[in-house]
Amino acid sequence: MTSAPLSKIEQAKAERCGLALEPELESLARRGWEQLSEAELTIQLKWLGIFFRPVSPGRFMLRLRLPNGVINAEQLTVLAEALDRCGAEGSADLTTRQNLQLRGLLFEDMAPLLKLMRAVGLTSRQSGHDNPRNITGNPLAGIDPEEFIDTRPLVLAIQELLLGPDGPRNLPRKFNVAVGGAPDSFLLHNDLAFLPARLDGDLGFTVMVGGFFSAQRNELAIPLGIWLRPDQLAGFSLALLLHFEREGNRSARNRSRLMYLIEELGLDGYRDQLLASYGEAVVAHDGSHLVDRAPRSCLGVHGQAQPGLHWVGLHVPMGRLDGELMLALAQLARTYGKGELRLTEAQNLLITDVPTGLLPTLLAEPLLQRFRPDPGPLQAEAVSCTGSRYCSFALIPTKTTAQAVIDELERRLELPNPLRSHWTGCSNACGQPYMGEIGLMGAKARHNGEMVEAAKIFLGGSLGVDPQLAQLHEKAVPLVELVGVLEQLLLDRFGARRRPQLVQ
Amino acid sequence: MDLSPDDWLAALRAGELNLDREGLAERLAELSADQALGLLAWWLEQLLAGGLGYGLGQFADLVGRPQGVAAAVLLRQALGTAQGGSPDPALLALLLPLLGYQRDPEDFPGLQALALNPGALVLRRGALEGLARGLSCWPLGPLRQLLVQLSADLDPQLAATAMDLLARLPWAREGLSAVAARGVDPLLAPRLARRRAAAPPSDLLLLIHGRSGGVVPDELLQLAEELRQQRGCRVIVQPLTDPLAAEQALALEPAPLTLVPLFQLPGHHVRHDLPAIAAQWRLRRWPLRRLPFLGAWPRWQQELAEALGEAQAQGWRPELLHHPLGGPLAARYPQALSQRLGLPCRPWDVAAYSGERALLVPLAVAANRLSETLQRWERPPGVQVWPPLLQQLRFRRLLLEQLLLLA
Ligand code: SF4
């Protein structure tokens, strides 16, 4: 056992579990939350999904958990109402983990909101800091004509165990878990990913471990070398996370993701320890799996596995919503579907179960001018982190820059296929730039003798059968030159053509 | 250059460092509370000296973290200095949310004045955002009044924010009804409707006399149940005769509570026990407001007048009876009621009923000793005794209706 003194963060986590703050929220709101200590305010509250935002001290963020990215209209309405009360300060982001986070809330909003959320089956528990983050799954689970297995019950079972009484409360670092269910379930950026795989004709999962992106290092998950039956995923996940909680590195936060533990123990050593603590027999496996292509764009109208029903994928510009828009979306889902919505990792959303007969009216809804089922090829797959409006680390206003650049490029160019661009405000890489066919990362550069906002360009991310991380292509291009540089890149490498009226 | 936080601050003060977001964001995590305060002080000095022109405003989010008395003092000084000269409203607007975030009740009058001041809009919005960031620390009454007023402001954004804040205060329904009564910009009407629809009703504390041993009369149990179902809130029944029940209720999770004293007369209980009970709930951190005792509600008196008027029309001669009341203050109520209804009102005395067609009306909300004595009394023919008020459908209906309307 190491006797090194605990870091500030580890001390705060060890002091008490942030979950213990929940019963106090209401009286804290009334008596004054200023009495919270720095550790409680900036660290422990994240166990309840509540984020103190230095960018707007006094306006808080709440990050939800939406297992498998599924939400219903009633739940969305509860969130929308809370956000609507925040007026111009309120907004919601769709995240790259099929999740939602609400910004602009006052501390006074938290206790009543959590109560309302509980009543409609929502939670924000353990969604931030060193916790198992929202568990993702196939956004089309249960309606996908191509799926191998419905990931929703599996994801729910894992969440239940991880958040249950025996689940981890003090991991050394954040932890991402995902379950794949279709041929396009690219999930190797997760610490733990279950990819569908057949063994002697039985459908189960091969286990991939250690994927993560950070400012220091980016890795795709590697095969652990075992195969699990679907009913084993939850128990195995719990065992793996508890092992990580015990054995993970707590002395250096930049070396504490799961991959470092695997490297420290060696893959075989890690597997041996892990299986010993799991206790159940598992089958060795070569890591091959059924995922053989990059994620589909789910946008537009598509037939579901259920005859006569469709999902309609809507593009959410830069993944940003507000209270009124959320209310309107909930209403759309009620009117045209069965009140269900799905969120995708590409920060878009789907309305499911729309009968054929209702499609024309749905497509004619004015709201679909904003949330288009057929956005431009760059818009459709653009993913962005928060950027400088809400994040102190951001070197550029990510979302607005991305939007402006994409608008201009689409005005100038035609592209044969949708193109995945990932925008991130700094090297922390929350916008997953390494997964983009084009990745962009906020930076600073010298331009005409002055330091200006800029972006590094990464190229070559591939999420298909032979996954690759994007590599640095160009160092810090000043934002004023970005459109020109990207335009040339799209022309040279991505089959873009100038729009006819612009060719002189 | 790897400077210690202190050296870094010193270099900053000496003008040897260029401030950039990246450097600042990294540094912040290393600063102690005092050092962060030092950074805020330095930033404010720079801002006051150079204004927003030098791009310093963009660091507000990074330097504005310190919270507490010392930070409030710094911000107040800065605002005072800035207001003294020819103030740049944008600069003030940047500081006001940070001031509100310090959550010092002392700042309420200043923020209030700025929010109401018909000056630059950006300043008024800044002041309101300051009020938002400190919401629960301001004095509730004046805050509610201010927000009701601002909800009718000509600037729709200001009005909308005021309305949204009002919806978060205890007894939000009441504040929002006041806004609706004053009328709002038609553009904001749907917003107001959304806020009103979602505002939860406050919980109710029905304070009753109770029978010996803490027994609650059936009519009150029934009322409480109907209220729970129809109002969708917690309804706590506290009989004066059962201190244990009160203790249990006090231990529940506090929430805004409306104390409804279900007494017909302002006797000892209303004058002495009621304030003590209210104080006890407040002491246990329940936000509590008190309604007047039931017998003083104009609508209740009106119903009484109508009901007795109908009885008179049928040839009855109602006589209001009450249990003995101590003190001149309490005695005034029967007199006033007697005047209002034009009927005699006196303490019950077997010897003093007034004969034929007399309708004896015990002033009792629910069954009590007086009402039961009268019921048991072998009354002469031609004399009727009214049941306690809540045993009569019309009174129960009225009370239910009034309590459902309550914010
Ligand atoms: S990538 Fe950087 S700028 Fe973007 S959200 Fe993460 S930390 Fe903030």
Side-chain angles (χ1 to χ4, degrees), chain A residues 242-318:
Chain A
L242 290 178
H243 177 264
F244 178 57
E245 187 176 44
R246 278 195 312 273
E247 305 295 335
N249 179 353
R250 288 179 193 269
S251 53
R253 286 186 70 73
N254 58 1
R255 298 182 56 80
S256 54
R257 293 291 289 265
L258 179 65
M259 184 55 107
Y260 291 101
L261 178 62
I262 298 171
E263 286 175 345
E264 186 192 321
L265 300 175
L267 184 61
D268 292 341
Y270 173 66
R271 186 175 46 236
D272 289 348
Q273 275 196 13
L274 180 57
L275 293 182
S277 49
Y278 177 46
E280 254 190 57
V282 298
V283 187
H285 193 249
D286 62 5
S288 59
H289 51 75
L290 299 166
V291 177
D292 60 5
R293 59 188 130 112
R296 278 164 281 182
S297 156
C298 301
L299 299 179
V301 178
H302 303 265
Q304 292 183 188
Q306 299 77 12
L309 293 180
H310 308 262
W311 83 78
V312 179
L314 302 178
H315 174 247
V316 181
M318 293 301 138

Side-chain angles (χ1 to χ4, degrees), chain A residues 138-152 181-185 198 203 293 296-312 342 350-353:
Chain A
N138 177 11
L140 303 171
I143 59 172
D144 186 356
E146 297 186 48
E147 80 181 348
F148 304 115
I149 186 166
D150 182 349
T151 55
R152 290 172 302 176
D184 64 340
S185 295
R198 288 196 197 283
L203 184 65
R293 59 188 130 112
R296 278 164 281 182
S297 156
C298 301
L299 299 179
V301 178
H302 303 265
Q304 292 183 188
Q306 299 77 12
L309 293 180
H310 308 262
W311 83 78
V312 179
R342 306 278 183 102
L350 323 176
I351 293 178
T352 59
D353 303 311

